[in-house]
Amino acid sequence: MPLSTQSQPENDEYILIASLDNVRNLSNILKAISFKDHAIFNATQNGLKVTVEDSKCLQANAFIQADIFQEFTLKEDVVGFQVNLTVLLDCLTIFGGSTVPGVMTALKMCYNGYGYPLTLFLEEGGVVTVCKINTQEPEEPLDFDFCSTNVTNKVILQSDSLKEAFSELDMTSEILQLTMSPSHPYFRLSTFGNSGNAHYDYPKDSEMMELFQCTKTQTNRYKMSLLKPSTKALALSCKVSVRTDSRGFLSLQYLVRNDDGQICFVEYYCCPDEEADEE
Amino acid sequence: MDCVTTGGNVKVLAKAIHSLSKIGEELYLEPVEDGLTLRAVNSSRSAFACFLLSPLFFQRYQAPSDHAFRCKMPIKSMQAVFRSLSSLERSVEKCRIELNSEKNRLTVTLHCKHGLLKTHNLSFQDCESLQAVFDKENCANVLRAQPRLWVDTVLHFPPSLEEVNVSVNGERVWLRNHLEDDADPSRAMMTELCLSAEEFDHFAVRSESNITFCLKELRGLLVFAESSGLPVSMHFDEPGSPVVLSVSDSVLDANFVLATLSEDAHQRNHNNNKADRREAQPAADDFMSDDMDSYLIAMEASDLPGDLPGPSHESVPPVPQSSTNHRARLPSEEEEEEEEEQVNQPPNKKFCSLFFGSVLPASSQLTNQTIQGQEVLASDSDNEKQEE
């Protein structure tokens, strides 16, 4: 455990203490949503939720349950703050990306409330680094009002197959079109780029398709620039659920296993693209 | 048009396309009875490559009934379809290329494992037929070796090296990096590699020769040859005549036709390099003395020019200037206008200057230097680019 120094507040002054033996269990999942600089942290008894948003159209959330942490103590019901995620990730990975087996960086993350910085104690091989990151007033995250009763179409796919498609997406296309339907083409990703259009079709009876519940044919378009960052979360995940609701809002939920095999979730919410795009 | 490839041939097709992308930026596609041809040419028309995939290459091959379809598209579009070669191998079971004439699109469909279907509808442009005229059977010199030999040889030259010089006698072949005229020999790194005839599967040198051509384009072919494991043949003649590198098996045939530096520029370089291996044949490429009319005739005719001045021009007219700037003409076999049109693209200055080397005063250089005061001897009626 890291040494405490005289200038640090005592442990009992912190309103949030979260400790991990392996900081990667936090840093890896945060990298999956690090497409913007600022992140809203929200800690409850259940665990930590980190939110990143883009242009009021996209929201990404990472959930790390309390039981993933070796220590997770809250003095208040809800603790919230906002920090620069890029800086935070730089600190969490301050010892470099060591993949020497058995060598892990430990983390103790402490926060003593409004107006105080977020304090990180990182230790590897007896060397301790203390980082203090300024916090800001947490913004209210958008509420996409996405509830399961409104869901029209839902599929759960194994990530491997979708990973290939996402890595090949034609980036000259401004939009990514998603078609979900109880009939052919079932589940289709389409792009409309400079060289022509491309379609990736997943049949409902594919082995990669773990769940297929489509009630209505829906085609929705989303800005490629908003969805492309989700590729990082996809890369970490083993399964992904894709849901659209009656408004065409998209929910992507990724099941991620961390280094210790524990499960965390990342989700992306995206608004459909309003502009009329011609093929 | 409907072609279906399966199994390992999908990767071969992808490799062919990647290989063509090292030559030019556009892919010319033309299904004919003999098979599907995929071609590319570089902007200065000094390198041309053609893959012919016979009907046997395909599980199913159906050329368009009117035999008159050909198109071109940015090669990047086609490369995007076959982006990841390793995943192609792993997951693609079948590849289908069809012409959708109503929507004017070329549809390439990849049937992958787990039922995944990738469909690419690519737009294309109509184009003229692209065919270089070359005659590799009549080349004086033929070398053939396993791709590994060529790859290992080329490895010794820095990736930045643009041109390589190959010279042969009856028993050996030397490869050297080619130095620019203005390069100071005492400060340049010179690499020379000598291979004996025994290293080759076939070594037939009827005429000692010394040619210089662009290495980058050779590398393009080697990318393909290495993965196919097929021996690579090199057919060449005199400097100024194209070198043809080819790879073939029972179902495919690939030819890369590259311009070679013409004689006099060559000679001057050799004097600089103090390696006098090749006696000059000034008459051959002394363009000043060419009969301009006969040259123009040669350019417009679709037959091989048999009556040009100068020796060794079995397949190709001398090409002093920017239009068909190099060893092989690329006329359409049918239409002259197309040739004019093709040829009006601004050529790469460097290669053009290669061929002006012979008529320029000694101070000229093989770099991107505007050639001053060069009188255009035999130009296209449309091409007025004085600098080349």
Side-chain angles (χ1 to χ4, degrees):
Chain A
M1 284 304 294
L3 306 169
S4 58
T5 65
Q6 281 165 345
S7 59
Q8 305 307 318
E10 295 303 319
N11 266 4
D12 58 6
E13 289 176 22
Y14 290 124
I15 61 166
L16 166 68
I17 302 177
S19 299
L20 280 171
D21 286 345
N22 182 356
V23 73
R24 284 164 50 95
N25 287 342
L26 178 64
S27 58
N28 280 350
I29 204 167
L30 291 183
K31 281 180 194 166
I33 60 166
S34 62
F35 52 88
K36 280 282 179 196
D37 276 343
H38 291 277
I40 305 162
F41 276 66
N42 193 296
T44 64
Q45 297 299 334
N46 293 333
L48 192 61
K49 173 179 162 184
V50 185
T51 304
V52 179
E53 289 178 349
D54 188 357
S55 27
K56 303 269 183 238
C57 298
L58 181 82
Q59 181 184 87
N61 297 302
F63 295 91
I64 306 111
Q65 289 90 303
D67 53 10
I68 304 248
F69 294 90
Q70 271 66 58
E71 179 189 353
F72 194 82
T73 311
L74 245 79
K75 291 253 169 63
E76 292 172 19
D77 287 339
V78 176
V79 173
F81 53 85
Q82 186 167 305
V83 287
N84 184 316
L85 185 57
T86 312
V87 171
L88 174 64
L89 277 169
D90 283 346
C91 295
L92 292 177
T93 54
I94 205 159
F95 283 98
S98 161
T99 46
V100 176
V103 174
M104 289 190 306
T105 306
L107 166 74
K108 181 173 170 185
M109 181 162 73
C110 310
Y111 180 62
N112 47 352
Y114 186 83
Y116 287 91
L118 181 68
T119 306
L120 306 172
F121 296 91
L122 291 127
E123 183 266 334
E124 185 184 294
V127 177
V128 179
T129 305
V130 182
C131 308
K132 286 187 177 178
I133 307 174
N134 285 339
T135 57
Q136 292 115 38
E137 186 94 38
E139 284 167 16
E140 195 59 44
L142 292 171
D143 180 5
F144 280 69
D145 196 25
F146 197 99
C147 61
S148 14
T149 45
N150 273 347
V151 171
T152 40
N153 292 320
K154 173 176 176 174
V155 308
I156 297 182
L157 277 164
Q158 286 186 23
S159 300
D160 278 342
S161 57
L162 212 53
K163 279 174 197 173
E164 209 182 293
F166 265 75
S167 66
E168 290 180 10
L169 285 178
D170 180 1
M171 294 310 293
T172 65
S173 172
E174 284 191 10
I175 59 121
L176 178 61
Q177 178 173 288
L178 174 64
T179 302
M180 290 170 79
S181 168
S183 57
H184 183 75
Y186 306 112
F187 183 89
R188 169 180 280 189
L189 295 169
S190 308
T191 54
F192 306 91
N194 293 342
S195 46
N197 58 51
H199 304 288
Y200 288 75
D201 294 350
Y202 294 79
K204 70 173 184 184
D205 52 3
S206 161
E207 304 102 70
M208 301 305 259
M209 190 73 77
E210 290 202 0
L211 179 90
F212 187 87
Q213 279 172 2
C214 291
T215 60
K216 195 173 106 145
T217 302
Q218 267 191 316
T219 298
N220 290 300
R221 296 178 160 205
Y222 307 93
K223 279 205 161 39
M224 183 72 87
S225 53
L226 292 177
L227 285 184
K228 190 69 177 151
S230 69
T231 316
K232 276 194 223 169
L234 183 62
L236 277 183
S237 68
C238 43
K239 273 190 230 201
V240 56
S241 112
V242 182
R243 299 179 300 164
T244 50
D245 71 4
S246 49
R247 305 164 298 170
F249 279 53
L250 174 68
S251 150
L252 298 163
Q253 293 175 317
Y254 302 92
L255 193 152
V256 175
R257 276 188 197 281
N258 68 14
D259 282 1
D260 300 316
Q262 297 162 307
I263 289 176
C264 300
F265 290 95
V266 175
E267 70 187 359
Y268 273 73
Y269 289 110
C270 191
C271 301
D273 188 37
E274 293 301 332
E275 293 163 32
D277 254 88
E278 289 308 310
E279 172 176 333
Chain B
M1 166 187 158
D2 191 358
C3 312
V4 177
T5 330
T6 55
N9 280 354
V10 177
K11 189 173 173 194
V12 175
L13 176 62
K15 280 249 162 188
I17 289 165
H18 285 298
S19 183
L20 287 169
S21 72
K22 305 268 190 273
I23 298 288
E25 292 187 359
E26 289 182 312
L27 176 68
Y28 289 75
L29 198 133
E30 184 175 354
V32 293
E33 265 193 68
D34 290 344
L36 180 66
T37 61
L38 302 167
R39 300 183 181 111
V41 68
N42 71 356
S43 54
S44 55
R45 308 299 211 201
S46 60
F48 166 86
C50 174
F51 281 81
L52 172 66
L53 305 171
S54 86
L56 293 173
F57 178 85
F58 299 93
Q59 184 195 62
R60 175 180 154 159
Y61 181 77
Q62 190 186 312
S65 46
D66 51 359
H67 295 303
F69 174 67
R70 48 179 182 253
C71 70
K72 67 175 181 179
M73 66 186 68
I75 202 161
K76 284 189 161 54
S77 308
M78 196 57 117
Q79 278 184 291
V81 178
F82 298 103
R83 188 166 311 186
S84 161
L85 289 172
S86 54
S87 82
L88 273 182
E89 235 179 341
R90 266 199 327 260
S91 58
V92 178
E93 290 163 356
K94 189 163 91 164
C95 166
R96 185 171 186 186
I97 305 179
E98 287 172 278
L99 171 63
N100 183 336
S101 22
E102 305 138 19
K103 298 212 179 126
N104 224 36
R105 292 275 189 269
L106 194 71
T107 301
V108 184
T109 314
L110 297 176
H111 296 251
C112 307
K113 281 203 313 223
H114 307 301
L116 170 57
L117 191 74
K118 301 181 190 176
T119 309
H120 294 257
N121 295 309
L122 306 174
S123 50
F124 57 80
Q125 286 173 282
D126 291 320
C127 64
E128 65 284 1
S129 178
L130 181 74
Q131 179 58 56
V133 175
F134 58 95
D135 184 5
K136 68 184 186 194
E137 303 311 321
N138 287 331
C139 282
N141 302 324
V142 182
L143 308 177
R144 183 164 61 246
Q146 293 303 314
R148 193 72 243 160
L149 179 72
W150 297 109
V151 168
D152 286 347
T153 301
V154 156
L155 212 59
H156 287 90
F157 295 96
S160 56
L161 177 68
E162 291 217 11
E163 282 127 13
V164 71
N165 173 272
V166 174
S167 56
V168 287
N169 66 17
E171 297 145 18
R172 288 194 182 76
V173 58
W174 284 265
L175 288 102
R176 289 182 198 89
N177 57 326
H178 173 80
L179 286 185
E180 307 289 328
D181 269 354
D182 59 342
D184 177 358
S186 63
R187 304 188 69 181
M189 178 170 84
M190 318 254 289
T191 306
E192 179 180 299
L193 204 77
C194 179
L195 296 167
S196 90
E198 291 148 13
E199 307 255 14
F200 291 84
D201 294 351
H202 179 81
F203 191 97
V205 171
R206 289 204 309 256
S207 144
E208 291 192 8
S209 165
N210 188 328
I211 56 168
T212 301
F213 57 90
C214 192
L215 189 56
K216 171 181 158 227
E217 282 130 9
L218 166 62
R219 288 195 167 111
L221 173 65
L222 293 179
V223 158
F224 180 81
E226 218 191 348
S227 67
S228 68
L230 296 170
V232 177
S233 306
M234 181 190 263
H235 302 249
F236 59 102
D237 245 343
E238 311 303 317
S241 283
V243 54
V244 182
L245 295 140
S246 60
V247 152
S248 72
D249 72 6
S250 52
V251 296
L252 72 81
D253 205 14
N255 287 298
F256 276 56
V257 187
L258 310 180
T260 61
L261 191 46
S262 70
E263 182 54 53
D264 294 305
H266 220 247
Q267 178 60 27
R268 202 172 44 250
N269 277 339
H270 275 281
N271 288 337
N272 287 346
N273 296 348
K274 307 184 302 268
D276 191 21
R277 293 180 189 282
R278 184 84 181 89
E279 59 295 348
Q281 282 188 17
D285 290 337
D286 184 348
F287 305 122
M288 293 290 191
S289 69
D290 278 357
D291 180 326
M292 184 157 136
D293 288 339
S294 68
Y295 178 73
L296 286 174
I297 290 167
M299 276 190 38
E300 290 170 19
S302 53
D303 296 330
L304 291 178
D307 52 358
L308 284 172
S312 66
H313 295 285
E314 297 160 60
S315 52
V316 143
V319 280
Q321 47 84 332
S322 59
S323 51
T324 45
N325 168 32
H326 46 116
R327 41 61 220 185
R329 261 177 324 149
L330 298 172
S332 135
E333 275 151 21
E334 290 124 29
E335 286 133 69
E336 292 166 14
E337 287 83 36
E338 289 163 358
E339 177 191 343
E340 301 289 330
E341 181 217 313
Q342 271 181 35
V343 139
N344 271 341
Q345 300 191 24
N348 179 297
K349 287 186 208 167
K350 187 175 165 77
F351 266 82
C352 284
S353 64
L354 284 176
F355 296 93
F356 274 103
S358 61
V359 294
L360 287 172
S363 59
S364 78
Q365 299 173 21
L366 295 171
T367 53
N368 290 344
Q369 196 189 43
T370 306
I371 293 161
Q372 308 294 342
Q374 174 58 45
E375 177 191 330
V376 176
L377 301 174
S379 65
D380 279 346
S381 50
D382 293 343
N383 190 343
E384 292 307 313
K385 291 186 174 64
Q386 282 299 317
E387 64 178 4
E388 271 103 12

